[in-house]
Amino acid sequence: EGGTSCMPGICDFLSAWDKDGDMGSELRRRMETGEMKLAHQEGNVVFVHAGLVSTLWKKINASAGSEALNLLNDRARSVFVNNSAQELRKLEDAIVQTKKDNGPMWTRICYETWYHDEQRKKERKRSQRSRCGDVQKSLDFLGAERMVIGHCPQKSDLPGDMKYRSPGVTDDCGGRFLLADTYMSIAYARTEDNAVFNMAALEFHLGAPDKVWAVYPGRKEGARCHAMTRPGPENAGDGNVSKLVLADEERPGKL
């Protein structure tokens, strides 16, 4: 409408997620009632879509401690409830900042090239030089030990459609940074077999807060549960990544 052109279906999609759309209005209702949050902490584990880079806290005037996430969620609620999609696109707020400014929904701190990305020149002076050092700084700020994100697909290095069969959840930074996007949706996995294989969940036990297991219900017996690395100072450096390697019998067509 109004001269706006979209690819087939895209305008309908954008309208559905706008302030008054079926999906967008429901999202905003859930955020307003507290049913949905930008970030959540349970025990010593923090969950967020893309990541919490240490520069975020100064941008929202947060003080160290558990109240920082409450402030973040309150701000996110206000931003989404009070703005349409077009207004969000123009809004200069830390909540909706893109990857070059390390917004919590778009940062790519999951990648090893994160600090050296040319798009991030403005942010470099304010963040830690080390990815894991920056993750640790935010964890210390919140009084937490692990951060769990989606946003960054964990694909295999196999050719063709095989690359959409995920090795599983990756634990980075010595177990302090869990990358949990395993391409479960068939839209990304490309085939139903891949989507079933990629199904994953993280299992936590309140009685053993330092233990976490990745559970894969669509895989063969004996490969359905994998213990994540326990956080520890001896494992905290960059490049200390634990990722499952797909065995021959776990590759496409061999569930």
Side-chain angles (χ1 to χ4, degrees), residues 183-245:
Y183 263 11
M184 287 189 280
S185 168
I186 194 171
Y188 293 105
R190 302 297 178 91
T191 69
E192 185 176 354
D193 280 352
N194 281 351
V196 170
F197 183 87
N198 291 347
M199 289 192 301
L202 288 173
E203 185 174 290
F204 299 83
H205 288 278
L206 294 179
D210 61 333
K211 295 182 180 179
V212 181
W213 290 265
V215 181
Y216 307 104
R219 303 192 181 185
K220 66 174 187 175
E221 190 172 351
R224 293 176 182 164
C225 191
H226 176 70
M228 299 282 96
T229 302
R230 293 190 185 186
E234 71 278 6
N235 295 321
D238 276 25
N240 196 328
V241 179
S242 176
K243 180 179 290 190
L244 292 174
V245 177

Side-chain angles (χ1 to χ4, degrees), residues 12 44 97 106 131 137 166 195 203:
D12 290 339
N44 61 8
Q97 284 183 327
W106 289 103
R131 288 172 55 252
K137 186 173 182 180
S166 175
E203 185 174 290

Side-chain angles (χ1 to χ4, degrees), residues 1 3-18:
E1 295 181 6
T4 300
S5 61
C6 300
M7 293 175 62
I10 297 298
C11 278
D12 290 339
F13 176 84
L14 295 175
S15 294
W17 282 96
D18 209 342

Side-chain angles (χ1 to χ4, degrees), residues 1 43 64 81 108 181:
E1 295 181 6
V81 168
R108 291 293 183 179
D181 184 345

Side-chain angles (χ1 to χ4, degrees), residues 39-41 46 52 57 65-74 142:
H40 178 70
Q41 183 168 346
V46 176
L52 299 172
W57 310 116
S66 59
E67 285 302 307
L69 281 189
N70 291 334
L71 180 63
L72 180 67
N73 287 321
D74 286 345
L142 298 170

